[in-house]
């Protein structure tokens, strides 16, 4: 399975820095809610569409990402047109189109690793203030990326095992053994990570030093 | 010094959070059950959200859901049907996704304070179910519905009608999550945190 939505390419959007793209996206998200003028939102939607097309993503991926949201969008516009006014429907529709297309353009042109760098940049001040532990977040993200295919593989394994015994159960009968397997493996994985001293201890991280030198209980 | 001020998270907690995040994503990959007429697929992803709270407890459950949100924002196709990306958050359904985090917390808190104090099977299952409904439905909808209303400019009433469509499926999923969490706890109990 493909784990990222990134599409390789050399378009201007590909070459732009991830943090600038995200900052622009954030501003754009605020801006579309500040105006109700179709004269502004219409061209904005056209620009967003042009941006998305400049990415040159494969059509099937665009269809897959846009089909669901566009159905919701169509329903919303229809309800707004019927119950309020055509103008309100247009504003709502264009707003969501701008958001949807510009965000998708950024998603398609930015590597996950680049986004992770931006995440680290955002977390750094919070980490310094003691609000979050940036290295724990980074560890959790990379573990999750590693485990998603693994958990899915285990799910299919359990399904095959049950089918071999003639059980053609609901997905629910699969969830219990899946969760138990996962909980059981967590202990081993945690021991393996601790054995490798990851995440690396930071200066001033007393708790970890104590634990590594065996002074702390547990 | 800083280690003293922040809540302690052991490596095992981080691993459990990451693994449960992977379960939530994997449940979204299972081919969805289509309810006829309306083209909205019913997936088991929200089942995973309720389970995260009910099995891991409030803090780790909420962290697992926050990790799913983070992966979505990082542009990974982790949501049901292979969707993801930044556009999900400001979209009409973004509030439901964000609502998972407090939803799992509330489910975990209720399981911890009520369900685990009951010893008889029947009442315990009922307490699990109530916790899953409170967290997975009430809290998630309480954030999702106003979010839809703001994002689309429709009134709260219309957004709520849209949500009602999912309520039936979500109630069934809460019942399923209660049964699964109860079973898991009997065969492999871990301390909820």
């Amino acid at each position: 399975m493909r784990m990222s939505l990134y599409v390789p390419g050399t378009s201007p959007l590909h070459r732009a820095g991830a943090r600038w793209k995200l900052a622009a996206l954030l501003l754009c998200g605020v801006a579309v809610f500040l105006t109700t003028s179709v004269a502004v939102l219409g061209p904005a939607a056209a620009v967003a569409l042009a941006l998305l097309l400049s990415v040159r993503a494969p059509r099937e991926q665009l269809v897959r990402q846009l089909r669901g949201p566009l159905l919701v969008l169509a329903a919303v516009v229809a309800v707004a047109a019927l119950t309020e006014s055509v103008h309100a429907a247009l504003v709502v529709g264009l707003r969501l189109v701008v958001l949807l297309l510009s965000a998708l353009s950024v998603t398609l042109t930015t590597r996950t690793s680049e986004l992770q760098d931006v995440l680290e940049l955002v977390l750094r001040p919070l980490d310094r203030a003691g609000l979050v532990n940036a290295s724990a977040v980074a560890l959790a993200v990379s573990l999750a990326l590693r485990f998603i295919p693994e958990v899915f593989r285990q799910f299919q394994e359990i399904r095959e095992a049950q089918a071999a015994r003639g059980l053609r159960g609901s997905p629910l009968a699969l969830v219990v053994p899946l969760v138990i397997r996962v909980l059981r493996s967590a202990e081993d994985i945690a021991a393996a990570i601790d054995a490798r001293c990851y995440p690396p201890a930071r200066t001033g991280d007393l708790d970890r030093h104590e634990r590594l030198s065996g002074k702390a209980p547990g | 010094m800083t280690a003293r001020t922040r809540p302690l998270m052991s490596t095992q907690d981080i691993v459990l959070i990451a693994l449960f995040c992977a379960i939530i994503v994997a449940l979204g990959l299972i081919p969805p059950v289509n309810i006829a007429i309306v083209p909205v697929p019913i997936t088991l992803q929200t089942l995973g959200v309720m389970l995260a709270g009910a099995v891991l407890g409030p803090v780790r459950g909420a962290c697992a859901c926050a990790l799913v949100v983070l992966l979505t924002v990082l542009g990974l196709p982790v949501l049901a049907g292979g969707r993801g990306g930044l556009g999900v958050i400001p979209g009409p359904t973004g509030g439901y996704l964000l609502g998972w985090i407090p939803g799992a917390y509330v489910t975990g808190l209720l399981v911890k304070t009520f369900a685990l104090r009951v010893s008889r099977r029947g009442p315990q299952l009922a307490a699990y179910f109530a916790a899953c409904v409170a967290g997975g439905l009430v809290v998630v909808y309480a954030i999702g519905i106003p979010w839809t209303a703001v994002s689309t400019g429709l009134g709260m009433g219309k957004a709520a009608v849209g949500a009602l469509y999912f309520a039936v499926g979500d109630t069934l999923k809460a019942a399923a999550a209660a049964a699964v969490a109860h079973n898991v706890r009997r065969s492999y109990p871990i301390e909820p945190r």
Side-chain angles (χ1 to χ4, degrees):
Chain A
M1 65 186 269
R2 259 178 61 85
M3 263 317 295
S4 171
L5 298 173
Y6 176 74
V7 175
T10 54
S11 73
L13 264 184
H14 278 93
R15 280 174 281 152
R19 70 183 75 167
W20 303 118
K21 280 188 275 191
L22 288 174
L25 190 62
L26 196 66
L27 282 179
C28 160
V30 175
V32 291
F33 281 99
L34 294 179
T35 176
T36 53
S37 152
V38 176
V40 176
L41 289 170
V47 170
L49 181 65
L51 272 180
L52 184 61
L53 292 177
S54 78
V55 174
R56 300 183 180 282
R59 183 188 285 179
E60 67 207 63
Q61 192 169 359
L62 289 181
V63 170
R64 169 185 259 246
Q65 286 299 313
L66 290 173
R67 194 177 42 198
L70 284 182
L71 280 171
V72 175
L73 185 72
V76 165
V77 169
V79 171
L82 288 174
T83 59
E84 278 156 53
S85 65
V86 176
H87 180 258
L90 262 178
V91 168
V92 168
L94 289 173
R95 234 180 225 168
L96 291 178
V97 163
V98 172
L99 284 176
L100 192 67
L101 298 186
S102 53
L104 184 59
S105 318
V106 173
T107 303
L108 291 173
T109 57
T110 316
R111 283 193 187 84
T112 306
S113 57
E114 288 176 279
L115 288 167
Q116 263 175 304
D117 290 344
V118 177
L119 173 72
E120 211 184 296
L121 197 75
V122 175
L123 286 182
R124 208 176 294 154
L126 296 175
D127 184 79
R128 251 185 240 129
L131 289 173
V132 290
N133 185 341
S135 57
V137 174
L139 175 63
V141 168
S142 42
L143 282 177
L145 290 179
R146 171 69 187 80
F147 288 142
I148 289 167
E150 181 64 24
V151 168
F152 193 57
R153 195 185 57 74
Q154 288 201 357
F155 180 84
Q156 281 168 328
E157 229 175 72
I158 298 170
R159 178 156 58 188
E160 277 165 24
Q162 292 190 345
R165 280 176 265 142
L167 297 172
R168 205 162 264 291
S170 65
L172 277 184
L174 295 161
V175 177
V176 175
L178 180 71
V179 172
I180 291 173
R181 265 197 200 198
V182 162
L183 293 183
R184 217 173 254 164
S185 62
E187 212 163 309
D188 294 339
I189 296 165
I193 294 169
D194 276 337
R196 287 164 180 77
C197 300
Y198 192 90
R202 307 180 320 164
T203 42
D205 210 341
L206 283 177
D207 171 61
R208 203 170 170 83
H209 281 298
E210 276 165 11
R211 205 167 66 211
L212 287 177
S213 56
K215 279 180 202 152
Chain B
M1 297 296 159
T2 45
R4 299 264 161 91
T5 55
R6 66 170 75 110
L8 274 174
M9 270 267 166
S10 71
T11 309
Q12 187 161 1
D13 291 332
I14 298 173
V15 171
L16 280 173
I17 289 164
L19 279 169
F20 239 90
C21 163
I23 290 183
I24 295 173
V25 174
L27 287 176
L29 288 173
I30 298 166
V33 187
N34 268 304
I35 288 189
I37 319 167
V38 198
V40 184
I42 300 295
T43 70
L44 292 177
Q45 199 147 42
T46 45
L47 175 82
V49 173
M50 299 176 203
L51 271 182
V55 173
L56 293 185
V59 174
R60 291 181 300 198
C63 283
C65 293
L67 192 53
V68 178
V69 174
L70 190 56
L71 293 185
T72 309
V73 173
L74 288 179
L76 297 161
V78 293
L79 298 185
R83 288 192 54 225
L86 291 154
V88 177
I89 302 291
T93 55
Y96 291 97
L97 178 64
L98 292 176
W100 287 358
I101 301 170
Y105 187 87
V106 168
T107 299
L109 201 62
L110 292 177
V111 164
K112 196 174 157 185
T113 44
F114 295 109
L116 297 185
R117 301 241 171 110
V118 190
S119 50
R120 283 196 301 139
R121 189 183 143 79
Q124 191 176 36
L125 264 176
Y128 265 114
F129 176 66
C132 289
V133 169
L137 256 89
V138 178
V139 173
V140 171
Y141 286 21
I143 294 169
I145 292 172
W147 196 282
T148 309
V150 171
S151 169
T152 61
L154 296 175
M156 291 280 278
K158 280 165 221 154
V161 170
L164 268 184
Y165 172 73
F166 293 98
V168 180
D170 280 345
T171 310
L172 291 176
K173 277 184 262 183
V180 170
H182 183 257
N183 261 331
V184 167
R185 175 138 193 97
R186 267 195 320 179
S187 30
Y188 198 84
I190 61 165
E191 199 51 46
R193 256 193 72 180

